[in-house]
């Protein structure tokens, strides 16, 4: 069954997959950090911004929320990209690292901390890419 991206149903599935993943819970160094994923609206594709806040504690996503503004909650890292960029990453058209390097996905926060926790992001992005997603457009 496919899940609409972006939606809270998609967010719930992402959290469950990540928390059930031994790759994340056993192998990731990230003990405590908040992460914001910002899916930006795009005319004719997505009519609203979808901003998801994830609170990681003790190698589990303990809490997640849909935000109305990217600054509503503190985050160690914020990943921001247009809807079409996220679609390209999830479909494998562009790799997540290339999207970051080419600044299609923009990152704000401590670059040092981001690089130290790259494995955590890789696992989360991998789960996003392996979900059966139905796009809003």
């Amino acid at each position: 069954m496919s899940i609409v991206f972006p939606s809270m149903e998609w967010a719930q599935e992402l959290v469950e997959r990540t928390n059930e993943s031994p790759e994340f819970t056993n192998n990731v160094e990230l003990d405590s950090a908040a992460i914001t994923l910002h899916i930006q609206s795009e005319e004719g594709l997505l009519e609203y911004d979808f901003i998801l806040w994830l609170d990681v504690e003790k190698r589990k996503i303990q809490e997640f929320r849909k935000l109305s503004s990217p600054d509503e909650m503190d985050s160690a890292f914020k990943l921001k990209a247009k809807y079409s960029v996220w679609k390209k990453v999830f479909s494998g058209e562009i790799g997540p690292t290339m999207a970051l390097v080419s600044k299609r996905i923009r990152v704000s926060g401590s670059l040092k901390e981001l690089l130290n926790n790259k494995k955590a992001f890789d696992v989360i992005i991998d789960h996003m890419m392996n979900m059966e997603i139905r796009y809003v457009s």
Side-chain angles (χ1 to χ4, degrees):
M1 184 171 118
S2 62
I3 297 171
V4 173
F5 171 78
S7 67
M8 285 305 288
E9 180 184 27
W10 166 81
Q12 177 71 45
E13 181 71 14
L14 174 63
V15 168
E16 287 174 9
R17 284 177 181 231
T18 302
N19 284 345
E20 292 170 0
S21 167
E23 211 178 9
F24 191 81
T25 58
N26 296 335
N27 298 325
V28 166
E29 302 279 332
L30 186 64
D31 272 337
S32 178
I35 303 162
T36 299
L37 303 173
H38 186 168
I39 296 100
Q40 291 179 289
S41 63
E42 257 184 293
E43 191 172 328
L45 296 176
L46 183 67
E47 300 303 318
Y48 53 90
D49 282 10
F50 187 89
I51 306 161
L52 180 65
W53 178 81
L54 305 168
D55 183 27
V56 179
E57 291 289 333
K58 298 179 183 168
R59 299 180 184 176
K60 292 263 188 193
I61 299 172
Q62 301 292 338
E63 184 180 356
F64 68 100
R65 297 181 192 179
K66 182 180 179 211
L67 305 180
S68 55
S69 160
D71 299 319
E72 188 176 329
M73 301 288 289
D74 288 335
S75 297
F77 316 104
K78 294 179 182 178
L79 296 127
K80 177 178 168 180
K82 292 181 180 181
Y83 174 75
S84 60
V85 172
W86 291 108
K87 272 180 76 170
K88 287 177 183 177
V89 170
F90 298 158
S91 69
E93 190 176 325
I94 182 173
T97 302
M98 179 55 75
L100 288 167
V101 170
S102 66
K103 298 187 179 178
R104 291 180 192 176
I105 295 178
R106 291 183 301 280
V107 179
S108 61
S110 168
L111 184 57
K112 180 183 175 193
E113 216 173 316
L114 175 65
L115 294 174
N116 287 341
N117 293 293
K118 186 176 180 314
K119 184 162 180 104
F121 288 102
D122 289 345
V123 171
I124 292 170
I125 295 290
D126 186 56
H127 286 301
M128 290 178 184
M129 292 175 68
N130 289 302
M131 293 170 70
E132 191 175 327
I133 294 173
R134 185 172 69 252
Y135 297 102
V136 293
S137 58

